[in-house]
Amino acid sequence: MEKLTPMMKQYFDVKNNYPDALLFYRLGDFYELFYEDAKLVSLECDLVLTARGSGNDQKAPMCGVPHHAVTPYIQKLISRGYKVAIVEQLEDPALAKGIVKRDVIRIITPGTVMDESADEKSEVLIAAVEDDITGYAIAACEMASGKTILRRIEHSRFELIQYCLRNNVREIVFHSQIQERVLKRIREIPNLMISFCDQEQIDVFYQPLVEHVHRDSLKTAYGRLINYLQSTQFKTLTHLQRAEIDDTQTYCELDFSTISNLELLTPLRPNGKTQTLFNYLDRCKSAMGSRLLKSWIEKPLIDMQEISLRQNQVQSFVKDFILKDQLIQHCKGIYDLQRICAKIAFKSAVPQDLVRLMRSLRQIGPMKESLKGLDPYQWVVKIDPLVDLLALLETRLSEEVPATAKEGGIFIDGFHETLDHYREVMTGGSRWLLNFEIREKERTGIKNLKVGYNRVFGYYIEISKGNASLVKDDFGYIRKQTLTNGERYISEELKSKEDELLHAKERAIRLEEELFNTLIDEVSVFLPKIQVVANFAAHIDALCALAEISSQSGFVLPKLNQNRLIHIEEGKHPLLSMSQLNHEVVSNSLEMNEEDVVFVLTGPNMGGKSTYMRQIALTAIMAQMGCYVLAKKASLPIFDRIFTRMGASDDILGGKSTFMVEMNEANAALQKATSSSLILFDEIGRGTSTYDGMALAQAIIEYIATITKAKTIFSTHYHELTALADSLVGVSNVFVQVYEKDEEITFLYRVKRGKADKSYGINVARLAHLPDAVIHRAKDLLKQLESRRRVVQQSMDVVEIIHVPKHLEEIQTILSSLPIDSITPLQALTLLDELKEKSKGGK
């Protein structure tokens, strides 16, 4: 260390405090990285690796990026799971004595990204977890908007993983004493960073944000989250919003498998051209609206009044398309206020952010005025359009501002007298010099007198040799330099002006920086109100997007019933209707009466079974979002949960086969579904032997029909299962139609009551142009197998199912995993109270 240069010593003093982070070390206009950090980042970001003298004739490996272009590089590193520590200059290099002071001002991790987020329409969460023996308490935060959510889940590592996957949690914070078996499973989640924090005390500043929270474990998780965030952000998080308690009783819960299988947010094949429901519905004009719409898709409503209110809001825009178009135009002028709030809170906002805030606020008043008097929008009267803040910004900011505060030109003329003076000096300097030269010629009578400038002497008065004798003492000139053809002089007036001229720009920029920082502080006071306005704008934007979809031909406002009746007349898959198909999308109906529980769906591959099931799920989700649906008529019950198992996919990372994944997803549905749920199972049991698969499929159908009683569509190639309709109440058969002539088949994509007589697998193989020899041999083998099946018929008798109530199973699971040796008396009493509630069948 003694042999290092002063700058490299300073670098190591900082680096030793953050050994697990990549140090972006500010040197002038660049962020530099050294040694192992430089080697790693040069490879990850494709940067040139150079070297810098570090003392003792040694070279330190080095790479760097311009400070104004650093964001894409940080995005790339964060997406690959690295931590980045930002080291800034803490003093002005021009005023510093010795080496400039530097230190870390922020640590960026995968869960704390703000403007470094690559996808502005997605929320990236960081979550802190507290294990309270009977469950996991979770406090999650989206740093870019300050949104904070509290949730308690059952004591299951599977549920914890599901939560992280479903909510795009990129970083999870545990107590350092968390059990290794929990960490082992969490480490299997791709692109998830694990961090630790043992501090749980909630600072006084944040206590009002959780004053409505009564469960201690949730407060503990929140305290851990806050302390970790403060340790990485090095400042008070003034933009955090009041914590929301995520109550699953207020929305239809979709697990990660359902969201994935239905391709609600992302396609199953990332590189494919499959359209998602989000892409289809997202007509939003702002990133805020898109993020809100995405949350509506993930959490469809289940309260009849809330659904009716949103339906009325959408319907009012559908009927009044002029109002809708006006609001859309206003939404186009609104920027991402939620992200801007975070930047203001962190004092990382640039002039363009405040101009965007100003332009956005100009749209809020007219939006509010447009909605005045409409019944579904009575709540907008409470929205403060922030006229005072808008006036504050408009009387200070220029319409066109630079990228950073160090370039000047932020404020309008007339706002600040001193700034105006500096600008006048800058723009009027050359004019003053010209006037000064004319004045001096007239005053001295020397006609060839000239005013010039060089870097050594600054501004000077030059007089030729022939006229030098005309210079008098009362002119106040001081000789500065003698040339072969003339003399150069200075005067007090010129020197005093020189200082003003040379430093006006520098002083103007410095003053604008100070004024800008003061303005940031003034705007910070309005942050809670700006967040309310941002939520209002996002809400209107998302409603306009749903109204745009609902205004299209073929869409109808669905009715919601409480009788467990499903009536969809000539419904269509909305995403297929928008895709570039060579044929018209076939409409299909669904009629399930109150006594109907399970529809066993049979038919050939490629016949449209999966599409039909997805169509039903998407129709239900859109209906509970408050959106219109693509059908002639639609009446649906309100589903509390939707479960799907579709497609064949191995969980390679978790080491699970297709069949194991299938069984896990089936188990989740059977354990959690209620009579108000919707289950869509596509060919359950196909991943194992024929008889095993058939037995499991039959047992699952029996369990749903007799115990769960959730509305279910169960597609299968096991034609023997169609016999259950004759012996099991609530089970019916439906099939997809196929037209067959001369062993050639045509898919009709129509779903009708009844059962398919065969699977047409060989016919489909012929369409795929398998060799004729294979086709003929398969037909011979099929005849042999079918004759054998007629001899050995599998029993389809329905037997009684012994069912242990779920709440008693949960009690047994909790007691069996209870750490008797380590539980505290207070925890034991809390646990006893919870078990008492569970024994009654309560939540």
Side-chain angles (χ1 to χ4, degrees):
M1 287 291 290
E2 289 77 13
K3 296 177 181 179
L4 292 174
T5 63
M7 192 279 290
M8 293 309 297
K9 284 182 181 178
Q10 185 189 61
Y11 169 82
F12 275 109
D13 286 341
V14 178
K15 178 64 179 175
N16 290 338
N17 293 326
Y18 305 95
D20 61 339
L22 299 171
L23 220 62
F24 275 62
Y25 191 79
R26 181 71 177 267
L27 288 174
D29 290 335
F30 281 78
Y31 285 111
E32 305 285 7
L33 297 104
F34 300 101
Y35 295 99
E36 296 305 314
D37 286 2
K39 293 177 183 178
L40 188 152
V41 173
S42 67
L43 289 173
E44 292 282 6
C45 298
D46 195 23
L47 297 172
V48 175
L49 186 66
T50 60
R52 181 190 183 99
S54 60
N56 197 29
D57 298 326
Q58 298 296 315
K59 295 282 189 180
M62 180 187 82
C63 68
V65 295
H67 76 95
H68 63 272
V70 71
T71 300
Y73 298 100
I74 293 178
Q75 286 175 349
K76 184 177 287 189
L77 293 168
I78 294 300
S79 68
R80 296 180 183 179
Y82 296 104
K83 285 184 179 180
V84 172
I86 304 296
V87 180
E88 285 289 356
Q89 297 170 167
L90 302 182
E91 57 183 347
D92 189 335
L95 304 176
K97 293 181 179 180
I99 191 166
V100 177
K101 291 180 182 178
R102 295 179 179 88
D103 207 345
V104 173
I105 61 155
R106 184 183 170 210
I107 299 174
I108 306 171
T109 65
T112 59
V113 293
M114 294 199 310
D115 51 331
E116 301 85 8
S117 178
D119 182 4
E120 62 178 10
K121 292 187 177 183
S122 293
E123 292 182 341
V124 173
L125 297 188
I126 177 171
V129 179
E130 170 67 8
D131 184 345
D132 66 1
I133 300 177
T134 62
Y136 290 114
I138 303 173
C141 175
E142 191 211 6
M143 278 293 291
S145 67
K147 178 181 175 183
T148 310
I149 302 169
L150 306 181
R151 169 82 183 271
R152 191 170 180 275
I153 61 174
E154 61 185 75
H155 202 265
S156 160
R157 285 168 288 173
F158 174 78
E159 285 297 317
L160 186 57
I161 291 171
Q162 281 274 321
Y163 180 89
C164 292
L165 292 172
R166 186 172 62 246
N167 294 283
N168 195 26
V169 174
R170 295 291 308 281
E171 186 172 4
I172 190 164
V173 186
F174 290 107
H175 191 281
S176 60
Q177 301 302 314
I178 189 72
Q179 294 177 340
E180 179 58 33
R181 61 187 179 86
V182 177
L183 293 179
K184 183 179 178 182
R185 291 299 305 276
I186 295 298
R187 289 192 184 104
E188 295 174 359
I189 305 175
N191 301 318
L192 178 67
M193 175 175 280
I194 298 175
S195 301
F196 300 95
C197 179
D198 294 343
Q199 297 297 318
E200 301 161 356
Q201 187 70 32
I202 301 175
D203 188 86
V204 175
F205 177 82
Y206 303 103
Q207 286 179 3
L209 303 179
V210 286
E211 61 185 0
H212 58 295
V213 180
H214 303 298
R215 186 180 282 272
D216 290 339
S217 58
L218 287 175
K219 286 190 173 182
T220 300
Y222 184 80
R224 178 169 297 131
L225 175 68
I226 292 298
N227 281 283
Y228 178 77
L229 291 177
Q230 289 205 145
S231 72
T232 58
Q233 306 307 300
F234 296 89
K235 52 174 64 74
T236 302
L237 311 172
T238 58
H239 73 302
L240 288 193
Q241 301 179 39
R242 178 182 168 92
E244 303 173 25
I245 297 178
D246 186 6
D247 184 2
T248 56
Q249 304 300 307
T250 62
Y251 60 86
C252 173
E253 193 169 6
L254 311 175
D255 61 18
F256 177 71
S257 301
T258 299
I259 293 171
S260 299
N261 290 334
L262 293 176
E263 298 181 291
L264 298 182
L265 305 179
T266 55
L268 286 172
R269 296 175 183 83
N271 297 325
K273 295 182 180 179
T274 309
Q275 193 172 26
T276 65
L277 182 63
F278 172 64
N279 290 339
Y280 172 67
L281 295 178
D282 185 21
R283 309 294 175 91
C284 296
K285 306 307 174 187
S286 69
M288 296 186 301
S290 296
R291 291 194 297 269
L292 180 61
L293 181 66
K294 187 176 282 189
S295 72
W296 287 357
I297 294 172
E298 292 177 296
K299 297 179 178 180
L301 300 170
I302 59 174
D303 183 89
M304 183 71 83
Q305 286 186 331
E306 289 185 14
I307 297 173
S308 296
L309 174 60
R310 193 178 292 166
Q311 281 186 335
N312 292 337
Q313 290 172 339
V314 172
Q315 189 177 36
S316 66
F317 291 162
V318 172
K319 290 180 177 178
D320 191 344
F321 65 89
I322 295 177
L323 171 62
K324 179 193 70 180
D325 290 346
Q326 286 176 349
L327 291 170
I328 289 173
Q329 291 305 313
H330 289 309
C331 289
K332 286 180 179 179
I334 296 176
Y335 293 86
D336 197 339
L337 295 179
Q338 293 170 342
R339 300 287 197 256
I340 291 173
C341 281
K343 291 183 181 181
I344 292 170
F346 274 73
K347 293 184 168 45
S348 63
V350 296
Q352 289 176 351
D353 292 319
L354 292 194
V355 170
R356 287 169 180 165
L357 172 60
M358 177 176 70
R359 291 174 180 169
S360 300
L361 291 178
R362 287 172 181 161
Q363 309 299 325
I364 301 301
M367 284 178 71
K368 178 181 177 181
E369 194 64 28
S370 299
L371 295 167
K372 187 186 293 184
L374 287 178
D375 284 341
Y377 294 96
Q378 296 297 328
W379 50 276
V380 303
V381 297
K382 299 178 182 177
I383 301 298
D384 183 353
L386 300 179
V387 176
D388 294 343
L389 176 58
L390 179 58
L392 173 71
L393 296 172
E394 287 186 327
T395 54
R396 299 192 185 185
L397 291 175
S398 298
E399 288 292 337
E400 300 298 329
V401 294
T404 68
K406 295 184 179 294
E407 298 176 50
I410 302 169
F411 297 97
I412 60 176
D413 293 333
F415 159 57
H416 195 277
E417 186 177 346
T418 306
L419 180 60
D420 288 346
H421 171 67
Y422 289 146
R423 286 178 175 173
E424 176 62 29
V425 171
M426 284 161 33
T427 57
S430 57
R431 186 169 59 250
W432 184 91
L433 289 169
L434 181 61
N435 291 334
F436 174 77
E437 185 179 290
I438 294 170
R439 278 201 332 266
E440 290 302 295
K441 284 180 180 179
E442 292 175 353
R443 185 168 74 92
T444 62
I446 302 172
K447 301 302 181 184
N448 65 352
L449 179 150
K450 293 189 302 184
V451 175
Y453 171 82
N454 68 27
R455 292 187 178 181
V456 178
F457 298 113
Y459 289 100
Y460 56 81
I461 301 165
E462 184 172 312
I463 299 173
S464 66
K465 280 281 187 187
N467 291 322
S469 60
L470 300 176
V471 176
K472 300 176 181 178
D473 291 343
D474 59 352
F475 289 174
Y477 289 177
I478 303 169
R479 182 182 283 108
K480 199 69 180 171
Q481 186 181 21
T482 299
L483 303 174
T484 56
N485 59 350
E487 299 284 345
R488 287 180 177 174
Y489 304 87
I490 60 172
S491 70
E492 284 190 22
E493 184 182 7
L494 184 60
K495 272 298 163 190
S496 64
K497 196 67 178 179
E498 176 185 84
D499 184 64
E500 199 173 44
L501 291 173
L502 294 181
H503 298 96
K505 184 174 182 180
E506 178 187 329
R507 290 170 179 169
I509 290 175
R510 191 176 299 153
L511 177 58
E512 286 209 64
E513 276 193 84
E514 293 173 4
L515 293 172
F516 182 72
N517 291 333
T518 302
L519 181 58
I520 290 288
D521 291 336
E522 291 180 65
V523 174
S524 297
V525 177
F526 292 89
L527 280 181
K529 292 183 177 180
I530 298 173
Q531 287 173 331
V532 172
V533 165
N535 294 336
F536 161 69
H539 202 88
I540 299 302
D541 195 8
L543 288 171
C544 285
L546 293 186
E548 283 274 88
I549 293 292
S550 302
S551 300
Q552 296 177 130
S553 175
F555 280 78
V556 66
L557 185 67
K559 294 180 179 178
L560 295 163
N561 63 70
Q562 296 178 329
N563 301 320
R564 300 188 68 242
L565 303 175
I566 302 178
H567 172 72
I568 301 174
E569 185 178 334
E570 295 184 24
K572 292 182 179 179
H573 193 301
L575 306 190
L576 287 183
S577 66
M578 293 297 292
S579 57
Q580 301 297 319
L581 295 175
N582 295 325
H583 54 78
E584 185 182 350
V585 178
V586 176
S587 61
N588 271 302
S589 301
L590 175 63
E591 191 77 44
M592 291 188 84
N593 298 321
E594 193 161 359
E595 61 274 11
D596 291 324
V597 179
V598 181
F599 274 9
V600 178
L601 175 61
T602 51
N605 286 318
M606 294 176 60
K609 299 192 300 297
S610 298
T611 299
Y612 177 70
M613 295 166 74
R614 283 189 168 92
Q615 169 192 320
I616 303 306
L618 294 181
T619 300
I621 290 170
M622 289 174 67
Q624 289 182 222
M625 285 174 62
C627 186
Y628 286 36
V629 298
L630 189 54
K632 190 174 181 180
K633 284 183 182 178
S635 178
L636 298 124
I638 296 176
F639 296 111
D640 61 355
R641 289 171 178 256
I642 297 176
F643 299 93
T644 64
R645 169 58 202 168
M646 296 178 182
S649 58
D650 289 359
D651 180 7
I652 297 172
L653 187 69
K656 299 183 181 70
S657 66
T658 298
F659 183 66
M660 187 61 182
V661 172
E662 190 175 270
M663 290 299 101
N664 279 336
E665 293 180 5
N667 176 59
L670 298 179
Q671 291 284 350
K672 297 179 180 179
T674 70
S675 59
S676 297
S677 301
L678 174 65
I679 299 176
L680 303 170
F681 280 164
D682 190 9
E683 299 183 35
I684 289 286
R686 63 182 168 182
T688 186
S689 69
T690 301
Y691 291 123
D692 274 358
M694 195 186 306
L696 282 166
Q698 179 179 342
I700 288 171
I701 292 173
E702 289 176 0
Y703 188 90
I704 293 172
T706 58
I707 304 297
T708 306
K709 300 197 179 208
K711 295 292 185 185
T712 303
I713 300 178
F714 193 108
S715 81
T716 183
H717 284 295
Y718 299 135
H719 290 273
E720 293 83 352
L721 296 179
T722 57
L724 291 174
D726 301 325
S727 55
L728 202 57
V729 174
V731 177
S732 302
N733 292 316
V734 291
F735 73 104
V736 289
Q737 286 183 302
V738 173
Y739 175 72
E740 182 180 14
K741 183 179 181 181
D742 299 329
E743 296 189 345
E744 296 289 333
I745 61 171
T746 302
F747 299 114
L748 301 180
Y749 304 109
R750 288 280 185 187
V751 178
K752 299 290 183 183
R753 286 266 186 170
K755 56 186 178 181
D757 50 0
K758 59 179 183 177
S759 292
Y760 300 99
I762 293 176
N763 305 75
V764 175
R766 181 180 283 108
L767 288 176
H769 303 295
L770 263 67
D772 289 341
V774 173
I775 299 294
H776 291 312
R777 175 60 176 157
K779 287 170 66 177
D780 292 339
L781 291 172
L782 179 62
K783 289 177 183 177
Q784 296 177 28
L785 292 171
E786 284 181 338
S787 62
R788 193 179 304 166
R789 184 184 296 172
R790 282 192 290 270
V791 175
V792 187
Q793 271 289 347
Q794 185 176 4
S795 170
M796 298 302 294
D797 294 337
V798 177
V799 296
E800 182 183 356
I801 293 177
I802 300 173
H803 173 57
V804 178
K806 185 174 184 297
H807 63 281
L808 296 182
E809 283 187 351
E810 288 180 357
I811 291 174
Q812 185 177 7
T813 302
I814 291 170
L815 291 174
S816 63
S817 62
L818 193 64
I820 297 294
D821 297 335
S822 60
I823 191 170
T824 66
L826 181 59
Q827 288 175 327
L829 288 171
T830 304
L831 173 62
L832 189 60
D833 185 57
E834 287 197 15
L835 294 180
K836 183 179 177 183
E837 286 300 313
K838 282 185 182 292
S839 68
K840 302 174 184 176
K843 290 286 181 183

